[in-house]
Structure formats: structure tokens, C-alpha cells
Amino acid sequence: MIEISSDLINYAERKTSPEPKLLQELKEYCYQNYSNSSMLSGFYQGRFLSTLSRLIAPRRILEIGTYLGYSALCLAEGLTEDGKLYTLDINAETNRVAKSFVERSALKNKIEFRLGNALEIIPELAETFDLVFIDADKVNYSNYFDAVIDKVRPGGLILADNVLWSGKVLSPSDDDSISLDNFNKKIQADGRVSNLLLTIRDGLMLCIKN
């Protein structure tokens, strides 16, 4: 087996189609202004999200955890003509930045922001989703999954980010790593989905609703 070194990762990124210029600007803005810039999906994962969305051409997407809007813009690239992405977050300051970048995008009319507690907002959404992306507080991953599973169509996708948590899930000891390990075990045991844990970046759990 070939070890994926940083040189190979860089090679893979160089041989991947570039992100739109607005996303490049958003990424640079994040790196310059936020100490927690690792929360941004980033180039390679962003292109994966865009590609996956384009492959399934979703009409309705739900994103739990907006941050600065980078992943929302990536996912929205695959929406149908009448498609809509709902993105939920609890942080008003980062939401303001996300909105400012989305407003400059051709996809702005397809992205709807909701500010507040996702577990309170999700039951109010009278939609059936083709794709759900979970990337919020890790202790609630299992709760988010339970809240959305009945709103996803058969054959629809649920993605969860950071499920490897920098390797801490191997020996979980803090609240986040324990919650993520429990989430991964929960998904593995849930007969409502088929799952594949991808080792992209910090780990992506990909679920297909049966």
C-alpha cells in the first residue's frame, strides 16, 4: 500500500480542477482572519463535495454547520435548476461573512440561511432532502443524524465531516472524540443506511439511505 505523503496530496490537488475564484478569495479571507481556519472544508474536500453534488444533481440539500459558507457554495454547484440548499448555523458573526460571499455568487438565490439551533430548525423544514451535510458541533452528530434520517429520500446521501478527528477516534478520551466514535459505531450498526468512511482530509462518513 502506498503511503499518502504530503507530496502525493499536493500532486493530487495540482491534478484536480480548480475551484472558482470566489472560493479562492473566501479561503484566503478565512486564513487571514480566523485562527480556526481548519474548520473550512478547503480546496480538495470542497472539490469532492462539488463533484458528489454534481453526480446526484440534488433538488434539496441540507447543510448543518455553515461556518463561512465555503462548503455551501461547493455543494450548491450541483443543484438542479429549481434546487435549494438550506444551511443552518448558530454563529451570527460567521453567518454574516458567509452571506456576504454568497451574495456575490451566481448561486445566491439557491442558498437559504437559517440562524439558530439546528435541532429546533430541522423539524420545521417541510422538505425531502437528496443530500445532507453534517459539519457542526461534534457532540450532536448522532442527534443530527436522527433528526434528518426520515427527511432523506431513499437513495439520498448523508455526509458527516471530521469523523476521524485527527486520529483521536482510535483512543477517544474527550467529549468530541468519544461522540464521534459513538457516531461512527451508530452509523455502522444502522440498517437504514449503507456507509463508507472515507479517509479524505479529517474523515468523511458517507451514508446512502436504503
Side-chain angles (χ1 to χ4, degrees):
M1 181 181 294
I2 298 175
E3 181 180 351
I4 305 300
S5 65
S6 58
D7 287 341
L8 277 176
I9 292 171
N10 291 335
Y11 179 88
E13 291 188 358
R14 291 196 304 271
K15 304 305 179 187
T16 296
S17 296
E19 63 196 346
K21 289 184 179 179
L22 181 64
L23 287 177
Q24 293 178 17
E25 185 180 333
L26 173 52
K27 183 174 62 181
E28 291 168 4
Y29 179 89
C30 177
Y31 292 161
Q32 292 170 6
N33 293 279
Y34 289 86
S35 59
N36 55 352
S37 59
S38 61
M39 289 176 59
L40 200 78
S41 285
F43 167 68
Y44 194 76
Q45 180 172 301
R47 290 304 85 203
F48 174 79
L49 295 177
S50 170
T51 300
L52 190 66
S53 184
R54 288 181 173 190
L55 283 170
I56 69 170
R59 184 171 178 271
R60 291 291 183 266
I61 300 174
L62 174 62
E63 178 184 53
I64 304 170
T66 308
Y67 192 40
L68 300 181
Y70 187 97
S71 53
L73 285 165
C74 293
L75 290 165
E77 291 178 25
L79 283 168
T80 58
E81 190 66 29
D82 62 342
K84 178 183 285 190
L85 181 150
Y86 296 88
T87 183
L88 319 180
D89 206 283
I90 203 165
N91 187 312
E93 191 276 326
T94 54
N95 217 237
R96 177 188 60 78
V97 175
K99 286 181 178 179
S100 71
F101 277 91
V102 167
E103 276 299 312
R104 297 168 53 197
S105 166
L107 299 165
K108 64 182 181 180
N109 293 327
K110 293 185 175 184
I111 298 175
E112 182 173 321
F113 292 84
R114 297 286 183 93
L115 188 65
N117 187 322
L119 292 173
E120 296 175 0
I121 296 172
I122 292 168
E124 299 173 354
L125 299 175
E127 299 279 9
T128 297
F129 293 100
D130 305 290
L131 174 59
V132 174
F133 183 46
I134 302 172
D135 188 14
D137 56 311
K138 310 312 169 189
V139 296
N140 271 314
Y141 266 37
S142 291
N143 292 329
Y144 294 139
F145 177 85
D146 289 337
V148 302
I149 184 65
D150 290 335
K151 291 180 175 287
V152 177
R153 66 166 174 81
L157 304 181
I158 300 174
L159 275 171
D161 197 11
N162 303 118
V163 293
L164 294 179
W165 207 233
S166 300
K168 294 177 184 177
V169 291
L170 293 176
S171 301
S173 57
D174 59 89
D175 288 346
D176 286 336
S177 59
I178 290 170
S179 297
L180 287 167
D181 182 47
N182 288 337
F183 171 77
N184 293 335
K185 292 172 180 175
K186 173 186 175 69
I187 297 302
Q188 183 72 10
D190 196 318
R192 294 173 295 180
V193 296
S194 301
N195 65 294
L196 174 65
L197 203 167
L198 298 163
T199 55
I200 294 174
R201 202 161 175 257
D202 198 24
L204 277 173
M205 181 66 82
L206 173 60
C207 308
I208 303 174
K209 185 172 178 181
N210 295 330

